[in-house]
Amino acid sequence: MAEGIARSLAPAGVAVSSAGSQPSRVNPLAIRALDEIGIDMSGQRSKSVDSISPRGVDAVITLCAEEVCPVFLGKAHRVHWGLPDPAGAGKNEEEQLQAFRKVRDELRRRLAVVFGRQPSSTKSSES
């Protein structure tokens, strides 16, 4: 979700990538939560942090809370936002979706500050 939100807020010419230490698949609830605010991430795929060259990377934001954070070598500025993984939250799909919405909204708030912009959306948030 962070990649999709960052791409929607970043100025033209800013490259945005996301990666994890154990990539698997993009969670359908993440796709749904972003679709609710007008961001299409259906074409995104999970990538390994090892697939991103540290050259040319200016900033790295880690989001891990319960899991081990990946190590990213290089001289990039590092920021850590310990946000919970919404994939493991809730007892049913609706509770899980609500967890994705909560993390989505927090990512939008923080990334809007990073990029000095207000998040825009073609759809209203359902949280």
Side-chain angles (χ1 to χ4, degrees):
M1 288 192 302
E3 181 177 346
I5 294 167
R7 286 178 188 269
S8 76
L9 296 172
V14 172
V16 175
S17 296
S18 67
S21 55
Q22 298 178 325
S24 58
R25 65 180 175 83
V26 177
N27 191 303
L29 293 176
I31 294 170
R32 189 167 153 193
L34 286 188
D35 185 58
E36 290 176 353
I37 60 168
I39 298 174
D40 178 14
M41 67 175 271
S42 60
Q44 285 182 222
R45 62 178 179 79
S46 292
K47 299 169 286 295
S48 171
V49 72
D50 297 331
S51 69
I52 298 176
S53 170
R55 279 184 252 144
V57 174
D58 296 318
V60 173
I61 300 172
T62 53
L63 302 175
C64 38
E66 306 89 24
E67 65 280 0
V68 175
C69 279
V71 175
F72 190 82
L73 302 176
K75 297 182 180 185
H77 176 73
R78 289 169 175 76
V79 177
H80 177 69
W81 296 340
L83 297 177
D85 183 355
K91 296 177 183 160
N92 57 48
E93 186 173 301
E94 186 55 37
E95 288 179 4
Q96 287 178 333
L97 180 58
Q98 189 57 35
F100 275 91
R101 288 172 177 150
K102 185 175 178 180
V103 171
R104 172 203 66 200
D105 292 345
E106 185 61 21
L107 285 169
R108 284 180 83 209
R109 186 184 69 75
R110 293 181 188 200
L111 288 166
V113 171
V114 168
F115 292 114
R117 299 180 64 164
Q118 289 297 330
S120 61
S121 151
T122 57
K123 297 182 183 179
S124 63
S125 173
E126 294 184 20
S127 21

